[in-house]
């Protein structure tokens, strides 16, 4: 028997749906205040459909796009739950609309350690899908062994990285 799309889900159902262990979902509850499953007697968790969509978005950003927990927390704080849920569903129109709405509000000042993506890569501001990640023009030259990578080459490498991530996202949707 299949559950209704509006039905609450147990932690085991959500964990199976997201292909994650249950302890990861419990850990995420401690890191993301937006995840608030209803708890019944004995501490049994029941996730609402909106909670499941948010968890899918968090999983997508952490595992598919290489975001850190701190980076996803910042996206949630700046753009809200619907933004992160729309990213997981691939709803580009909603992502862009919510990103545009959040840019109308004054942004908090950035600090040097606000990197959102593992490896300190930043999305180019011109990228359509990834424009919700802030760019940085004051990045220092990166040294690799005896040679160094200049700002222009670094920008090209970052653009290639984001193109590859977008291809991976599209392939994952087809599977």
């Amino acid at each position: 028997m299949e559950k209704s799309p509006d039905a609450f889900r147990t932690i085991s159902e959500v964990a199976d749906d997201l292909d994650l262990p249950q302890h990861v979902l419990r850990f995420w509850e401690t890191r993301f205040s937006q995840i608030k499953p209803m708890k019944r007697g004995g501490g049994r968790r029941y996730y609402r459909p909106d909670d499941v969509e948010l968890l899918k978005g968090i999983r997508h950003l952490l595992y598919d796009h290489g975001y850190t927990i701190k980076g996803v927390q910042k996206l949630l704080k700046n753009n809200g739950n619907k933004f992160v849920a729309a990213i997981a569903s691939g709803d580009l129109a909603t992502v862009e609309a919510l990103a545009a709405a959040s840019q109308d509000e004054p942004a908090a000042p950035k600090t040097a350690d606000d990197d959102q993506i593992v490896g300190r890569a930043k999305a180019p501001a011109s990228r359509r899908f990834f424009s919700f990640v802030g760019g940085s023009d004051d990045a220092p030259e990166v040294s690799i062994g005896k040679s160094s990578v200049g700002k222009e080459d670094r920008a090209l490498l970052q653009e290639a990285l984001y193109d590859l991530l977008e291809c991976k996202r599209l392939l994952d949707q087809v599977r």
Side-chain angles (χ1 to χ4, degrees):
M1 186 167 105
E2 190 76 19
K3 277 190 174 181
S4 162
D6 295 332
F8 284 36
R9 306 276 191 251
T10 64
I11 191 167
S12 61
E13 290 171 328
V14 175
D16 289 343
D17 188 34
L18 297 176
D19 194 29
L20 292 170
Q22 294 178 19
H23 71 269
V24 171
L25 297 176
R26 290 187 205 99
F27 173 72
W28 285 357
E29 284 179 38
T30 67
R31 295 296 182 249
F32 302 104
S33 61
Q34 295 85 354
I35 302 172
K36 297 175 189 155
M38 185 178 75
K39 291 185 183 175
R40 300 292 293 195
R44 189 170 172 95
R45 292 166 169 80
Y46 290 96
Y47 293 88
R48 298 167 190 86
D50 290 343
D51 294 331
V52 175
E53 290 303 312
L54 177 60
L55 288 167
K56 285 179 182 178
I58 291 171
R59 184 195 185 288
H60 185 69
L61 289 169
L62 290 173
Y63 293 177
D64 298 337
H65 288 288
Y67 273 75
T68 62
I69 288 178
K70 185 176 178 182
V72 175
Q73 288 170 337
K74 187 171 181 183
L75 276 178
L76 283 166
K77 180 182 173 198
N78 292 339
N79 300 303
N81 297 2
K82 290 181 182 178
F83 179 82
V84 173
I87 290 172
S89 65
D91 188 358
L92 186 58
T94 303
V95 169
E96 289 176 344
L98 291 170
S102 70
Q103 288 176 355
D104 293 342
E105 301 169 4
K110 291 190 171 228
T111 61
D113 59 45
D114 277 349
D115 292 307
Q116 296 178 359
I117 298 205
V118 176
R120 299 186 180 273
K122 298 281 186 173
S126 64
R127 301 304 290 181
R128 191 170 162 211
F129 183 74
F130 295 102
S131 63
F132 55 85
V133 181
S136 174
D137 294 333
D138 59 346
E141 243 183 41
V142 178
S143 294
I144 302 173
K146 295 181 180 179
S147 64
S148 63
V149 179
K151 284 184 182 180
E152 190 173 300
D153 290 335
R154 185 174 180 199
L156 289 172
L157 288 170
Q158 287 176 348
E159 187 169 340
L161 170 66
Y162 287 103
D163 287 340
L164 288 170
L165 287 172
E166 180 67 9
C167 289
K168 181 184 182 310
R169 184 185 69 79
L170 293 171
L171 285 172
D172 287 344
Q173 284 181 345
V174 174
R175 291 184 197 169

